[in-house]
Amino acid sequence: SSKIRNPEVQSADDVAILEDCIDFSLAKTISKIEEKLEKGGLPDCLDDDIIPSVGNEIGAEAQIRFLKAKLRVTQEELDSVMCECRKKDDENQNLKSRLKDTEEENTRLQRTISMQRSQTEKYKMLSQEANRKSEGLQQEVIALEKVLQ
């Protein structure tokens, strides 16, 4: 994951921020949590299993380090998921392109099949006509042979 240092927030300068999500500043969120911890009031969300049950027994700095580590892990997971989403998007675009090519090929082949069927019908009719003429000529030859004998 790429890391960008935020010089404005000194206490959260080691937090990775996604380049795509610069508008959402996790550093500001950490600063707000740190301010609440410094004022003595723990955030309401600490009861929802972000910090283990021993969280009340550890100091504010340890809690901040824990939260920063948890944040980094979450950001790395987010980076990984976003990267996978981009790969899936690229794969989807590739598959859409291949599908379009395949559909065009299918249309072309259907036209070819249709043309070949019509040619086959045409040749069948020509063959039947030639067979009738041949039979007629054979009958004529037989009749002429009888006349000659």
Side-chain angles (χ1 to χ4, degrees):
S1 67
S2 61
K3 292 191 177 188
I4 299 174
R5 302 223 180 256
N6 188 347
E8 295 174 6
V9 183
Q10 300 295 332
S11 60
D13 64 348
D14 62 341
V15 177
I17 298 176
L18 287 175
E19 292 174 9
D20 296 341
C21 303
I22 290 178
D23 293 343
F24 175 73
S25 175
L26 293 172
K28 289 180 184 177
T29 305
I30 291 174
S31 294
K32 289 177 186 176
I33 292 172
E34 287 175 338
E35 287 174 12
K36 285 183 181 180
L37 288 173
E38 287 173 4
K39 291 178 183 175
L42 292 175
D44 297 335
C45 65
L46 291 180
D47 295 336
D48 64 1
D49 253 17
I50 291 177
I51 297 178
S53 60
V54 294
N56 296 333
E57 299 171 13
I58 61 174
E61 286 212 20
Q63 288 179 353
I64 290 171
R65 283 194 308 271
F66 176 79
L67 290 173
K68 283 182 181 181
K70 184 115 175 132
L71 179 63
R72 276 191 290 277
V73 168
T74 304
Q75 284 178 319
E76 288 172 3
E77 289 173 355
L78 179 62
D79 285 345
S80 174
V81 168
M82 287 182 68
C83 182
E84 194 162 326
C85 281
R86 282 188 210 106
K87 286 179 184 176
K88 294 292 182 186
D89 285 343
D90 292 343
E91 185 178 347
N92 279 342
Q93 290 301 323
N94 185 21
L95 289 173
K96 283 179 184 179
S97 174
R98 287 178 50 197
L99 177 63
K100 183 181 176 188
D101 292 344
T102 303
E103 287 174 344
E104 289 172 358
E105 178 74 8
N106 186 30
T107 302
R108 187 185 64 76
L109 291 173
Q110 289 296 334
R111 277 187 298 221
T112 303
I113 289 170
S114 176
M115 217 167 61
Q116 288 177 345
R117 282 185 181 154
S118 65
Q119 286 179 343
T120 302
E121 289 299 317
K122 176 183 166 186
Y123 289 130
K124 277 183 185 178
M125 291 177 68
L126 288 173
S127 173
Q128 288 172 354
E129 187 179 323
N131 284 338
R132 276 186 296 224
K133 283 183 181 178
S134 173
E135 286 175 15
L137 290 172
Q138 284 178 351
Q139 294 294 330
E140 209 176 302
V141 166
I142 291 171
L144 287 173
E145 284 179 348
K146 284 182 183 180
V147 168
L148 285 174
Q149 291 176 357

